[in-house]
């Protein structure tokens, strides 16, 4: 749930509690009224805690496409840590959730891809293989060999080159260019649903 929706829900629930508290013809026993207020208070506290977590620490994301297969599948739900990059910079191999650049024409949708190169790295794709800084990069997490080519480019500072693990079915840096650091929302750390796919990343 987006944080703004949760905030609205908490405001409505709080208003209901205030209304019930001051409603004079709230004709139920004091014990039952106390239990109702305790339940509402518990929900309010839990909701406020969840709001703080999803705003500042972590957030859930739904995977709508096959661009990260086999690592992530359609209908997976993941948790992204929004706090971790306050302590260190995004690194090669990190799976990140981000606001795509305007060139991606994403219609406001967030993306999830894997960082394969950071600022200062050179990237080249030829003969179905990714070359990082002139060396062939082993990628045991991809679905299949790459079916396109990319001339050697250098990643600018404070930018990243990101690709989907499903290399041939992913709108990523090979299509729309580099990902600016400020666009990154957080690092994907855990698949939480379906339950048979729970795993860390």
């Amino acid at each position: 749930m987006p944080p703004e929706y949760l905030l609205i829900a908490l405001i409505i629930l709080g208003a209901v509690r205030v209304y019930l508290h001051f409603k004079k013809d709230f004709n139920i026993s004091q014990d039952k009224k106390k239990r109702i207020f305790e339940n509402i208070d518990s929900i309010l506290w839990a909701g406020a805690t969840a709001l703080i977590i999803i705003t500042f620490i972590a957030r859930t994301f739904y995977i709508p496409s096959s661009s990260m297969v086999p690592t992530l599948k359609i209908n997976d739900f993941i948790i992204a840590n929004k706090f971790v990059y306050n302590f260190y910079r995004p690194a090669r191999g990190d799976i990140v959730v981000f606001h795509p650049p305007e060139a991606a024409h994403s219609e406001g949708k967030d993306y999830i891809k894997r960082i394969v190169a950071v600022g200062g790295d050179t990237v080249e794709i030829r003969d179905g293989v990714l070359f990082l800084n002139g060396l062939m990069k082993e990628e045991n997490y991809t679905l299949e060999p790459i079916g396109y080519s990319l001339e050697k480019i250098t990643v600018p500072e404070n930018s990243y080159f990101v690709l989907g693990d499903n290399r041939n079915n992913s709108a990523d840096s090979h299509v729309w260019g580099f990902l600016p650091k400020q666009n990154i929302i957080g690092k994907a750390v855990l698949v939480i649903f379906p339950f048979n796919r729970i795993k860390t990343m």
Side-chain angles (χ1 to χ4, degrees):
M1 176 184 291
E4 57 270 22
Y5 292 169
L6 180 55
L7 179 60
I8 292 170
L10 291 177
I11 292 172
I12 293 173
L13 188 58
V16 169
R17 189 196 189 287
V18 171
Y19 172 77
L20 293 177
H21 179 76
F22 289 103
K23 184 174 172 60
K24 297 185 183 300
D25 57 347
F26 189 33
N27 295 321
I28 59 174
S29 68
Q30 286 299 113
D31 286 344
K32 189 171 183 180
K33 184 187 292 187
K34 182 179 178 182
R35 287 196 300 272
I36 291 172
F37 287 153
E38 285 176 347
N39 289 335
I40 292 177
D41 289 345
S42 296
I43 295 171
L44 286 171
W45 277 109
T49 301
L51 182 62
I52 291 171
I53 290 173
I54 65 177
T55 301
F56 300 106
I57 301 174
R59 188 171 166 188
T60 58
F61 288 89
Y62 167 73
I63 306 301
S65 76
S66 61
S67 70
M68 283 298 293
V69 170
T71 306
L72 297 171
K73 298 182 178 181
I74 296 176
N75 297 326
D76 279 354
F77 282 82
I78 66 157
I79 288 179
N81 186 324
K82 300 172 64 176
F83 197 60
V84 66
Y85 290 135
N86 290 329
F87 299 99
Y88 71 90
R89 296 173 67 86
R92 299 182 199 96
D94 287 0
I95 298 174
V96 293
V97 176
F98 57 91
H99 305 305
E102 290 184 9
H105 304 293
S106 66
E107 300 180 350
K109 297 177 182 178
D110 293 329
Y111 283 7
I112 181 167
K113 309 292 178 188
R114 186 186 298 270
I115 294 175
V116 298
V118 301
D121 286 342
T122 62
V123 179
E124 181 182 9
I125 299 172
R126 53 184 165 86
D127 301 324
V129 177
L130 174 70
F131 289 83
L132 179 65
N133 298 322
L135 300 176
M136 183 184 298
K137 182 171 173 58
E138 296 289 340
E139 298 182 293
N140 57 7
Y141 44 76
T142 56
L143 181 64
E144 58 190 1
I146 304 174
Y148 54 84
S149 298
L150 181 74
E151 292 185 3
K152 184 182 291 187
I153 55 174
T154 300
V155 183
E157 291 300 323
N158 294 313
S159 295
Y160 300 89
F161 191 87
V162 297
L163 295 175
D165 288 354
N166 186 356
R167 294 285 192 255
N168 299 318
N169 189 25
S170 176
D172 49 36
S173 285
H174 92 277
V175 175
W176 42 255
F178 305 111
L179 171 66
K181 183 177 185 294
Q182 64 267 23
N183 286 41
I184 295 178
I185 298 170
K187 178 181 179 180
V189 294
L190 183 70
V191 177
I192 58 172
F193 188 83
F195 297 126
N196 63 346
R197 285 188 41 75
I198 292 176
K199 63 178 181 178
T200 58
M201 289 182 283

